[in-house]
Amino acid sequence: MSTVSDVGRVTSRTPVLRIRGPVHTRRPDTVAAEEPLEIRLGGTPLAVTMRTPGDDFDLVHGFLATEGVIASAADIAGLRYCNSVDDEGRNTYNVVDVDLAPGVEAPDTALDRNFYTSSSCGVCGKASIDAIRTRTAYDVRADDTRLSLETLLALPDRLRAAQQVFDKTGGLHAAGLFTAAGDLVALREDVGRHNAVDKVVGDAVREGRVPLAGHVLMVSGRSSFELTQKAAMAAVPVLAAVSAPSSLAVELAADVGITLIGFLRGDGCNVYTHPERLELPE
């Protein structure tokens, strides 16, 4: 079986014309890799997502968990890369086939959403909030986690400092899982913000750390409905982002009990929902 993190190309090199004022130079540049990953259940296609190769098994675990297909790693009997080959006969490592454990019911692939995702997609609609409320097995609202403002304001710099591939490409989203004390538990990077979150959640699923009570999920972009959904499904009580949330993300966070924080940068932030978890200085 192939390893999780060593397959595929995280980055690639491409020639560019670099213009800096009056200076024009041609040079190779490093860009983030983006390739499709098809997820199959027992040989049947379930989902396709555009992702940065690497940590694919984490991505699969996280995707299946946040979509409510599995509750824990024990619900997966096995998974493997399939023989998807390129024009030269080399394995692309772009197809993962999953065997669910006995008794775990496969989802209905005829659903309207059909589990198709891309680097920037999401789902929307008030009915989706009701669906998440009924699907999640955890009561996030009951999580009594408290987070100091000082710790919260330090998270963006800690996230950025751990982004190794971003330093090379400038083109990846990041998701970091922190304790309430500000300690980094896991970080993943990907061209898709939802993939980065799935990889972080999948790591927690594989290590038996879900539900993620007492943790903070920090993302490098905006907070969409989909990211808030994934936080709810993994029982993360605090979701923080350096940019803005969407209106539906705010509605969902308020409904399920997530403390949603946006524009977290410098010495400030906006707290949109459940501010009681944030400890402010006297």
Side-chain angles (χ1 to χ4, degrees), residues 3 22 29 68 76 91 97 140 159 195 201 203 207 220 243 266 272:
T3 61
D29 193 24
I76 292 181
N91 197 331
D97 197 7
V140 182
L159 183 76
N195 289 334
V201 172
D203 172 73
E207 295 296 325
S220 60
S243 191
Y272 292 88

Side-chain angles (χ1 to χ4, degrees), residues 50 59 95 144 151 172 206 209 258 271:
M50 299 302 296
L59 172 57
V95 180
D144 61 358
T151 297
L172 289 180
R206 298 177 75 201
R209 290 188 278 108
I258 291 175
V271 184

Side-chain angles (χ1 to χ4, degrees), residues 17 39 114 169 205 211 214:
L17 172 62
I39 302 172
N114 200 31
T169 66
V205 170

